[in-house]
Amino acid sequence: MALAATLTACGTTEDPAEDDAPEASAEPITLTDARGEEITLDGPAVRVAGTEWNVVEYLISLGIQPVGVSDIEGFEKWDNAVELDGDATDIGTRGEPSLDTLATLDLDAVFVTDQLVEGAVEQIEQTTPVIVIPGGDAEDPIGRMFENVDLVARATGTEDRAVALREDFDAAVADGRSALAEAGAEGATVAFSDAYQSGEAVSIRPFGEGSLIGGVLGELGFANAWSEVEGLEFDAVYGLGQTDVEGLAALPGDTAFWYIGGADETDPFAETLTGNSLWTSLPFAADALRLPDSIWMFGGPESMIQFIDAAVEAAS
């Protein structure tokens, strides 16, 4: 998962000032997390840590600067929709955070997904409340994103900001659809992917209709080209598939091929495949477009607003 602006009116939401962060309250907060576990906090969680980058983005968008973040270098490379406070402590990898580091941070809560190594949640819970956030849902990826945001907002007492994030996203979609209609680009067929390289072999990861990116493309009125590829399967959580260069030949000829790469990493499409006769023979290869770096494809509303801007610019 480590792989990942035209409509300025619907650009990223301005980060709330630190002074606006919720004050501690004597009123306890009770909520139910992705495990079905009921968790009671003494009040809004202010000192928090996040092991997954989508949750880190949610927190910052809601006005809460996390004091602990997994793989800070990676987060800042892949997600520039929000700005992480320079005082945050790196708590280790996303799948296996440092329990010793977490124990030193005097946290009100730790937000995790179910991707941690076995036993990690139980160990963290010995000292700190743990709130498990679902990773995704290919049946309703946008709905899942906002349910996640609402759960984090409930825990941190920032429900009003969660409402504002939804309004910003809805406005960005509406503005994007209008811009695409004006450009005569509504309903275009798009294949979005990222890719990995091992030696000279290139593995391609399609983002299906059930991915968060696929959901946003659908909201903008695009047709998802990967749905036309017979036999291509997508996972039930993140809506991602797997194919190779040969598999691209099954895409419709009028496909707009867009992809995301990693900064300072080899670009398989623009570099490795330039000498591949199959790739260069595809009708969309010459116009394959790399979208801007650091739009986190599994992020929150602000990352998705960035993606809307980039998609409209690419199609217009």
Side-chain angles (χ1 to χ4, degrees):
M1 305 293 292
L3 277 181
T6 306
L7 298 176
T8 54
C10 67
T12 57
T13 306
E14 184 176 342
D15 288 339
E18 274 188 36
D19 292 344
D20 294 334
E23 296 182 0
S25 167
E27 293 294 324
I29 294 173
T30 299
L31 49 84
T32 302
D33 73 358
R35 300 168 293 176
E37 293 285 336
E38 188 174 275
I39 297 145
T40 299
L41 305 174
D42 294 336
V46 176
R47 289 188 60 83
V48 296
T51 62
E52 270 297 341
W53 297 338
N54 59 340
V55 173
V56 174
E57 182 183 324
Y58 303 156
L59 287 163
I60 300 174
S61 295
L62 292 168
I64 304 294
Q65 281 287 342
V67 298
V69 174
S70 291
D71 186 6
I72 289 176
E73 182 179 356
F75 174 79
E76 292 179 334
K77 173 181 178 179
W78 288 101
D79 190 336
N80 68 3
V82 295
E83 185 173 351
L84 179 65
D85 192 307
D87 294 331
T89 297
D90 195 306
I91 59 173
T93 67
R94 290 182 286 160
E96 192 170 4
S98 167
L99 303 180
D100 290 339
T101 302
L102 285 170
T104 68
L105 296 179
D106 188 25
L107 299 169
D108 299 323
V110 179
F111 294 93
V112 307
T113 68
D114 57 4
Q115 303 299 308
L116 297 192
V117 296
E118 185 177 354
V121 170
E122 292 76 13
Q123 291 185 66
I124 298 170
E125 284 181 318
Q126 293 178 13
T127 58
T128 309
V130 174
I131 301 171
V132 180
I133 307 294
D137 182 358
E139 292 295 321
D140 183 11
I142 294 175
R144 169 54 61 201
M145 174 180 71
F146 281 109
E147 288 175 12
N148 287 354
V149 170
D150 289 344
L151 180 56
V152 174
R154 171 69 177 147
T156 56
T158 55
E159 291 96 330
D160 289 348
R161 292 200 185 103
V163 172
L165 283 173
R166 182 69 199 231
E167 291 172 347
D168 289 345
F169 175 83
D170 289 344
V173 170
D175 289 347
R177 291 183 71 102
S178 295
L180 290 167
E182 290 177 9
E186 55 187 341
T189 301
V190 174
F192 182 86
S193 73
D194 59 15
Y196 307 92
Q197 183 169 339
S198 178
E200 293 301 312
V202 174
S203 296
I204 297 162
R205 185 167 66 171
F207 283 62
E209 292 180 355
S211 67
L212 183 53
I213 290 294
V216 173
L217 287 171
E219 287 291 299
L220 291 171
F222 291 110
N224 197 308
W226 297 115
S227 300
E228 303 299 318
V229 179
E230 186 175 351
L232 187 58
E233 297 181 355
F234 301 91
D235 76 83
V237 177
Y238 294 104
L240 303 174
Q242 189 70 35
T243 190
D244 53 20
V245 178
E246 286 74 15
L248 300 182
L251 289 169
D254 63 349
T255 294
F257 192 88
W258 300 344
Y259 66 97
I260 286 269
D264 304 321
E265 296 180 0
T266 300
D267 184 328
F269 298 108
E271 299 175 42
T272 308
L273 295 179
T274 54
N276 184 296
S277 59
L278 176 55
W279 166 251
T280 56
S281 71
L282 296 173
F284 46 79
D287 297 317
L289 181 63
R290 176 172 174 163
L291 269 57
D293 296 343
S294 302
I295 298 176
W296 184 229
M297 300 163 288
F298 311 95
E302 296 202 70
S303 283
M304 293 306 101
I305 291 173
Q306 283 186 320
F307 179 75
I308 290 170
D309 290 343
V312 171
E313 181 174 3
S316 299

